[in-house]
Structure formats: structure tokens, C-alpha cells
Amino acid sequence: MQDKSGKGAAVGGDAAAAAQNPVHLNGHSTPSNGYSQGITPTPQQPSDSSAPFPGPPPAAVVERDQWGGKYEFLLSCIGYCVGLGNVWRFPYLCYRNGGGVFLIPYFIMLFVTGVPLFLMELSLGQYGSAGPIMVWKCCPLLKGIGIGMLCVSTLVCLYYNVIIAWTFYYLGSSFQSPLPWSCDALSNALICGNGTVGNSSMEGRHSPTEIFWNEKVLGVVNSEGLHDPGPVRWPLALCLLAAWIIIFLCMLKGIRSSGKVVYVTATFPYFVLIVLIIRGATLEGSLQGVAFYLTPDWSRLANAQVWNDAASQIFYSLGIGVGGLLSMASYNKFDNNVIRDTIVITVGNCSTSFFAGFAIFSILGHMAWRKGVPVGKVADTGPGLAFVAYPEALALLPGSVFWSIMFFLMLFMLGVDTLFGNMEGITTAVLDEFPNLRRNTFHKALFLGTLCFVFYLMGLLLVTDFILIYIFLEMYNTPLQYGSYVYPRWGKGLGVCMGATCCLQIPIWAIVAISRETGSLKERFKKSIRPLNSWRVNNSNRAAISEEQVEPEQVEAPYTVTLTDMDFTAMTWEMGSDA
């Protein structure tokens, strides 16, 4: 008993000494009353002698929207990944790089680079429950990656909706009978000679579809080059305005509205592709087009360009590294099966690309048969395939007006779905930085409307009589020229600067993160790669971790812990048992 009482007296003395000395916590001095070692009262304490732990109140967290169901997320991601590139870029790359043999490096790149990076983006967004900028609180040194993603998404939104405007223009023109780019139209009678596309008089001359594309849509014949942009083409400007209004209305309520729209926009293109494949299979010469699409050239596997094209198509098609995937995943439930989603979306997307090739080349084969030329003479790359070769092929089909409407409606929905993802990356990043916008529906709608309007004004630069947007799409294929016009070096330099601006965000913000820390360079680097305590604050409203409390980074005010006799008794018993 003497030992215990002695120890108890020692404990009491220590308590008195501790009462005179403040305890430092997180850089703040906190006055102590008794022991301030963070000891909390036991549940058996009497209510009249216990004092609540007066810690700082948790920061107010604005609840984030969540997908209405797993199918909304899946369809949104599939719609985001399956875009215009699946229809016009993959089939041509497959043809240019050895036909069916291109599938070997394509699927190797899918599983070696595409699937791991896709899984990483979905996992990071879902776990951190934040957009492409805020999520990098997990490693402040890499914040520049998020800024770079935002820059890329902005550039993509600018040009991608211009392509949707082109599609909208063709869709509206498709309601005319006969189609304005067909030989049946009176305006094309002189161009087509006796009305047959395969007429020998057409050799060396532009076809009606090329004239419609260059003069009616792009208007390139009215411009001398980049130095002479010319006036805005108002028909395209109105189509661009309509496209941005549709985007605004679909995204007005965030994922609650866009998540419902994708049930139509993500599934309708598959219906059209199936119908086009069935129709194409019944046409003369379709097998010639399919054979041209799939015939393997095994020697192409030794060419590094083939592997480069395969890797670039995987990144382009899956939408990796631009923030859309990360943002959409941030609205998932915390325990969503992200591995299942990754496999379904990536394999589904790449299978769609391969599937679309049959629809494209079966009809191009029929077009080659009608014109009496090899398939290689009618296949083109980029916009030329979607807006020149394919409209011409559609004009040859019985019921051409119906098929043209279906095709361009499919392209329109493919483009809108992809733009949803890119816009979601931008809006999520801004709403994470300014969470008050989430609370006020009017302010959120005003922000989205302003963003769409600014993008529309900037997009007007791309619907004049030079063809800047076409240059950016074709910059991959050097030298830069359109027909006989060769673009100046500063035109290519402009594109290089755009890409460099996005990439430079990574080292710039890494330097900023390191400079904000204290200590030696090594210590600053260690601190800049350490996750902040608040980086998962958005998860505090998730059911899966509802009991988890997010602690603030710093204690904002001093506080006092009051201990009772029971605390001293428990400590005395504890010390006695240790002895």
C-alpha cells in the first residue's frame, strides 16, 4: 500500500507540475489542467464530473453528388471513351499499319499501358473523392499534373465542340433530298457529268463531297492561309452555339442530369453501328472493303511507327491523362468495384473501335466498287474519312437521306458524350477549389453558363475561313499541308507551344510546392510528397467511412482537458500493474 500510495503521490506531484507547464501541440501552446496528455474520460464516469472534449469543430464539408447507379457511371465512362476517334481514326490506323496485324501491338499496348493507367486514374479519383487538382493533396509536389490536365481539357473542349458543330451542320443538311453533296443534286450536275460518280470525266477533279466539305463547311477557298483567317462562317457559328447550349442543358444539374442523358447517347451509337454493319454486308464490294481492312502485313510489326500509333491510339481513345476519368470516378461510392469497371470500359472501348471498322470499310468497299477504283483510293484519315469519304459512300446507298441522318446523329452523340467527360474534368476542378459554388444552385448554373459562353467565343476563332482546327487534327501527319498549301513554321510552332504549355505545368508547380516548405532541400522535398491531412475531406460523407473523423491540419485554438479522480485512480492502478 505504501508503494501504491507513494506512487500515487508521485503522480499527484507530476500532475501539479504539469499544470504549471503548457503542452505544445502542432505548434500551439495549450494550457493544461491536470494531465493534458490527450486522456479522455471513460464511459463509466459520472455525467456531473465529466467535461466534454472541447476540440475544434470539424470544417464544414459540402456533400458531393453521387452517381444514381453503377450503370450511370459505366455508361458515362464508355460514352467518354468511345468517341469520334473510334470511327475515323482507328480504322485508318489499322489499314495504314498492316491491317489486322495492327491489332497485335494495339492490344499489347492496351494491357501494358492503357489498363494500368486507366485503373490508376479511376482509383485515385474514387479514393480521394476530388477532381484533377484537389486530388493531388495526396502529393503536393505533383499538383502540376492536375493543372496540366486542366489545360489539356480546355484545349480539347475548344476544338472538340467545333467538330460536333461540323457534325451538326451535316446532320441538318442530311434532311434535304437529294443530299446536297450527292450527284443527284442539281448544283452538282456539271461536276458529275452524266450523273455517275465513276465517270471518267471525274478523274483529276474534286468530287461533290470534297467541294461541299471545303467550300460549304470549311470555306478554305476563301482564305489564303493562316495569315488571312477571313470572317466567321455564321452557319457554323450557329451550329457551334447550338452544340454549346445542348452541353449546358445536359450538364446543368451535374451528374444528376448528364448521368441520365448517357442512357441514350452512349447506347444509340451501338444501335447505329449494328444497323450499318448489317446494311453494309448486303452491298456489292463490301467484302473487298473488309479484306482491305483486315489483310495483315506481318512485316509492319518491325516498324516502330506501328507501335507508336498503337500507343497513341490507346491514350487518345481511352482519354487518359486529361482529368475526365478522374473527375467522373470522384463521384463514385467509396467501395465501388473499380477493377471491374476498368476491365469492362477498356475492353469494351477497344472492341468498339475494331467493331466500327467493319461498318466503315464495308461501305467504303461498296464505294470503291461503284467508282471502279481500289479501296485505298477512297480511304482517308482524320476528318477526311468522316466528312468526305463516308458522306460520299452514304450518298450511294438506297435511302441515302435516312442513312445519312443516322450516321451523323451517331457522330453527334459520340462527340457529345466525350465532351461531357472533358467538361466534367474542368467543372469538378473548379467546384473543388470553390466549394461554395456547390451550395448555391444559381451560382453553379451561372458558372457553367459563363464557362460554355467563353468557350463558344473562343471557338469562333476556329469556324472562320482558314482551317486552324483542321491543322491541329492533322498535325500528326507531317508535313503540314492541305492540298497544295504548305503551312508556315509558325503554324506548327503554335501547336508545339500549346502542348509545351500543358507539360510545363508539372515542373512549375513542383517548384512552387517545394518553395512553400521550410528546411533543407531534402526536407522540403520530403514534405512536398507527404499527403495533407485534409486531402480526403470530401469522403467524410461516405457511408463506408462515416465513422472516420478527418482531423484538421492544425489546432486553431488552445483547449483545456479536465481530469477527474477516476482518471488518477485508473492511472495509479495501471502503474501498479506495470510494477
Side-chain angles (χ1 to χ4, degrees):
M1 286 296 295
Q2 265 191 324
D3 270 350
K4 290 184 179 180
S5 62
K7 290 178 181 177
V11 170
D14 289 342
Q20 305 298 323
N21 299 316
V23 176
H24 296 275
L25 182 61
N26 284 347
H28 294 268
S29 298
T30 58
S32 301
N33 185 1
Y35 285 90
S36 60
Q37 309 295 331
I39 303 173
T40 54
T42 58
Q44 292 80 11
Q45 277 186 279
S47 59
D48 57 346
S49 61
S50 63
F53 188 85
V61 176
V62 181
E63 290 193 5
R64 295 167 59 87
D65 291 334
Q66 287 190 358
W67 296 105
K70 62 181 180 180
Y71 294 112
E72 288 186 11
F73 171 70
L74 276 175
L75 288 175
S76 296
C77 285
I78 290 175
Y80 168 68
C81 296
V82 178
L84 299 173
N86 296 73
V87 174
W88 77 31
R89 194 168 189 266
F90 175 82
Y92 176 79
L93 288 178
C94 201
Y95 143 71
R96 191 181 72 178
N97 292 292
V101 78
F102 179 71
L103 297 176
I104 297 176
Y106 180 72
F107 280 102
I108 288 177
M109 289 298 176
L110 168 65
F111 290 106
V112 171
T113 61
V115 172
L117 291 175
F118 196 96
L119 176 61
M120 183 194 72
E121 278 207 46
L122 292 191
S123 301
L124 187 61
Q126 181 172 309
Y127 185 82
S129 188
I133 296 180
M134 191 68 72
V135 77
W136 293 106
K137 282 189 173 183
C138 68
C139 183
L141 183 74
L142 301 181
K143 182 180 180 180
I145 295 179
I147 303 293
M149 286 180 171
L150 202 61
C151 293
V152 173
S153 294
T154 300
L155 294 175
V156 170
C157 287
L158 282 179
Y159 85 78
Y160 211 86
N161 217 16
V162 173
I163 302 176
I164 296 176
W166 293 343
T167 304
F168 209 62
Y169 187 85
Y170 269 91
L171 179 61
S173 301
S174 298
F175 285 91
Q176 304 177 40
S177 181
L179 294 174
W181 56 82
S182 69
C183 281
D184 295 331
L186 293 178
S187 58
N188 298 326
L190 294 178
I191 303 173
C192 297
N194 62 2
T196 59
V197 179
N199 187 16
S200 59
S201 62
M202 287 287 293
E203 293 182 6
R205 301 172 58 185
H206 292 296
S207 66
T209 52
E210 291 175 309
I211 293 175
F212 184 85
W213 168 243
N214 290 321
E215 296 185 9
K216 300 294 185 181
V217 182
L218 295 181
V220 295
V221 295
N222 303 320
S223 173
E224 296 180 0
L226 293 181
H227 62 281
D228 177 31
V232 171
R233 300 188 59 78
W234 290 110
L236 280 184
L238 293 177
C239 291
L240 183 63
L241 178 62
W244 276 117
I245 290 176
I246 292 174
I247 295 296
F248 170 75
L249 293 177
C250 291
M251 297 190 64
L252 185 58
K253 294 185 178 180
I255 61 172
R256 286 179 294 173
S257 56
S258 64
K260 301 297 184 294
V261 173
V262 293
Y263 279 106
V264 176
T265 58
T267 55
F268 181 77
Y270 286 96
F271 167 74
V272 176
L273 282 176
I274 293 174
V275 172
L276 288 176
I277 286 179
I278 295 174
R279 182 68 184 100
T282 64
L283 298 174
E284 287 286 345
S286 60
L287 292 180
Q288 179 185 356
V290 173
F292 179 84
Y293 174 47
L294 294 179
T295 300
D297 180 5
W298 299 103
S299 64
R300 299 288 295 169
L301 285 178
N303 191 331
Q305 185 63 40
V306 175
W307 296 86
N308 179 67
D309 284 347
S312 64
Q313 176 62 17
I314 288 294
F315 276 78
Y316 183 87
S317 181
L318 294 180
I320 297 171
V322 294
L325 294 172
L326 199 150
S327 297
M328 289 189 289
S330 70
Y331 298 106
N332 270 337
K333 293 182 179 179
F334 186 75
D335 57 351
N336 177 64
N337 190 341
V338 71
I339 298 179
R340 175 203 60 202
D341 292 346
T342 297
I343 295 174
V344 170
I345 296 168
T346 55
V347 175
N349 170 72
C350 295
S351 299
T352 301
S353 297
F354 179 64
F355 187 62
F358 289 96
I360 299 296
F361 278 91
S362 61
I363 297 182
L364 290 181
H366 174 68
M367 179 180 174
W369 175 80
R370 288 285 297 266
K371 297 178 69 173
V373 298
V375 179
K377 297 294 183 180
V378 296
D380 200 356
T381 181
L385 178 60
F387 297 109
V388 176
Y390 210 86
E392 187 172 341
L394 292 172
L396 301 176
L397 298 178
S400 57
V401 172
F402 171 77
W403 295 112
S404 183
I405 292 173
M406 295 288 283
F407 176 74
F408 287 109
L409 187 60
M410 176 188 72
L411 287 188
F412 179 77
M413 291 190 176
L414 287 173
V416 166
D417 273 346
T418 301
L419 198 59
F420 280 162
N422 287 294
M423 286 293 291
E424 197 63 60
I426 297 174
T427 56
T428 300
V430 175
L431 293 177
D432 284 348
E433 292 289 333
F434 304 98
N436 288 334
L437 288 175
R438 294 187 189 274
R439 296 191 182 97
N440 193 310
T441 305
F442 173 75
H443 289 169
K444 182 179 178 181
L446 184 62
F447 158 71
L448 180 61
T450 303
L451 183 66
C452 291
F453 184 67
V454 170
F455 278 156
Y456 169 69
L457 293 180
M458 298 175 69
L460 290 178
L461 297 173
L462 306 179
V463 292
T464 61
D465 293 328
F466 69 103
I467 46 176
L468 183 61
I469 183 63
Y470 194 85
I471 300 169
F472 293 151
L473 292 175
E474 291 295 288
M475 187 169 288
Y476 181 80
N477 302 311
T478 55
L480 290 178
Q481 63 183 55
Y482 183 73
S484 60
Y485 176 72
V486 179
Y487 293 102
R489 287 188 176 182
W490 67 266
K492 185 175 182 178
L494 179 62
V496 173
C497 290
M498 293 169 66
T501 300
C502 300
C503 297
L504 286 175
Q505 300 301 318
I506 300 175
I508 289 175
W509 287 96
I511 294 173
V512 171
I514 292 175
S515 63
R516 286 177 175 175
E517 303 296 342
T518 58
S520 64
L521 182 61
K522 182 178 181 180
E523 291 172 342
R524 291 186 178 197
F525 178 79
K526 287 183 177 180
K527 292 178 181 177
S528 65
I529 62 174
R530 184 176 57 196
L532 301 180
N533 292 337
S534 61
W535 83 280
R536 291 183 63 233
V537 68
N538 289 322
N539 270 330
S540 61
N541 65 333
R542 298 295 177 87
I545 56 170
S546 58
E547 297 180 3
E548 179 180 341
Q549 298 297 326
V550 179
E551 298 180 359
E553 294 180 16
Q554 287 190 340
V555 178
E556 301 296 339
Y559 57 89
T560 302
V561 179
T562 304
L563 300 181
T564 64
D565 293 339
M566 184 172 290
D567 295 304
F568 291 106
T569 303
M571 291 179 64
T572 303
W573 177 85
E574 208 173 57
M575 292 180 180
S577 62
D578 290 342

